[in-house]
Amino acid sequence: KVHRGVIAAIEAFNSNDMSHSGTWCFMIKGDGQQGKTRLINELYRECVHQDLKCLRLILNAKHTSMPFWTVKYCLGKILESENENGNIQDVIADKFSVLPVKREYLCALNSIFDTNFPAHSTASSSVDNLKIRKLALRILCHHLSSHFWIVFIDDADYIDADSLELLPTIFQARNVFF
């Protein structure tokens, strides 16, 4: 059966419950050879069997040296599923075009998605840049998809440091369960 947390997240998403303030994430930890991958595979198969939108990511050591790779892969796949004909920059621009936000926030996403939005740097430090990046990512995540997604990450020990810093922001999105 699908995990209770996933069911609660789907119900909140379907009822358009904006009052939820937690995070949609759970983690399985344990020593090697304990069946964590097998459990993830079973959960993934069950979710796919129930026609839920799912994404599966298996990380390895090479991914730790690729900045923003985990975030780019996960969110990029979800965004691409929304618009198969457009490139990622067009899809992101479309998402932001209907929102009452400053267009200069788009350039904060360039380092994550390898896009070329015009730079309008109003940030005076790397701390300000990180705040703007997190804000832009939060806005994007809350308008990421019209569907509920479940993302399975195997071997999360290999998440790159840049993605790891942004994941708490993404975990707050109400349409993605990690």
Side-chain angles (χ1 to χ4, degrees):
K1 291 211 167 205
V2 177
H3 185 270
R4 283 185 313 228
V6 174
I7 293 170
I10 293 169
E11 288 172 353
F13 175 78
N14 287 338
S15 68
N16 208 13
D17 181 3
M18 300 303 281
S19 65
H20 174 74
S21 61
T23 58
W24 296 131
C25 172
F26 82 92
M27 189 180 311
I28 302 168
K29 292 175 69 173
D31 294 331
Q33 303 299 310
Q34 297 295 310
K36 297 178 302 296
T37 296
R38 183 179 296 172
L39 180 58
I40 287 172
N41 290 340
E42 283 300 315
L43 288 169
Y44 176 78
R45 275 192 288 276
E46 182 62 29
C47 289
V48 168
H49 178 71
Q50 293 185 26
D51 292 326
L52 298 171
K53 298 272 188 191
C54 298
L55 178 63
R56 190 163 129 200
L57 175 60
I58 301 169
L59 297 174
N60 59 46
K62 74 177 181 183
H63 296 113
T64 59
S65 63
M66 302 166 75
F68 301 109
W69 194 87
T70 303
V71 169
K72 177 183 175 182
Y73 181 84
C74 293
L75 299 186
K77 290 292 185 185
I78 293 170
L79 288 166
E80 287 170 3
S81 74
E82 292 287 302
N83 182 358
E84 296 174 10
N85 297 328
N87 67 30
I88 196 75
Q89 183 161 328
D90 293 340
V91 175
I92 292 171
D94 283 347
K95 294 281 182 191
F96 273 77
S97 69
V98 297
L99 301 172
V101 294
K102 297 179 180 178
R103 301 291 291 169
E104 59 259 24
Y105 289 162
L106 287 172
C107 69
L109 299 173
N110 286 343
S111 57
I112 299 172
F113 295 103
D114 297 326
T115 51
N116 292 311
F117 292 110
H120 298 285
S121 182
T122 57
S124 59
S125 69
S126 62
V127 173
D128 289 341
N129 284 330
L130 181 60
K131 286 181 182 179
I132 292 170
R133 181 179 295 128
K134 284 182 177 181
L135 177 60
L137 192 61
R138 181 177 297 118
I139 292 166
L140 179 63
C141 286
H142 283 289
H143 299 86
L144 190 61
S145 175
S146 58
H147 298 80
F148 185 83
W149 282 82
I150 303 169
V151 178
F152 295 88
I153 300 177
D154 196 2
D155 285 329
D157 293 340
Y158 297 116
I159 294 174
D160 61 276
D162 295 309
S163 291
L164 202 53
E165 190 170 16
L166 296 175
L167 281 177
T169 301
I170 299 167
F171 290 162
Q172 294 173 12
R174 62 176 206 81
N175 52 358
V176 182
F177 188 99
F178 281 82

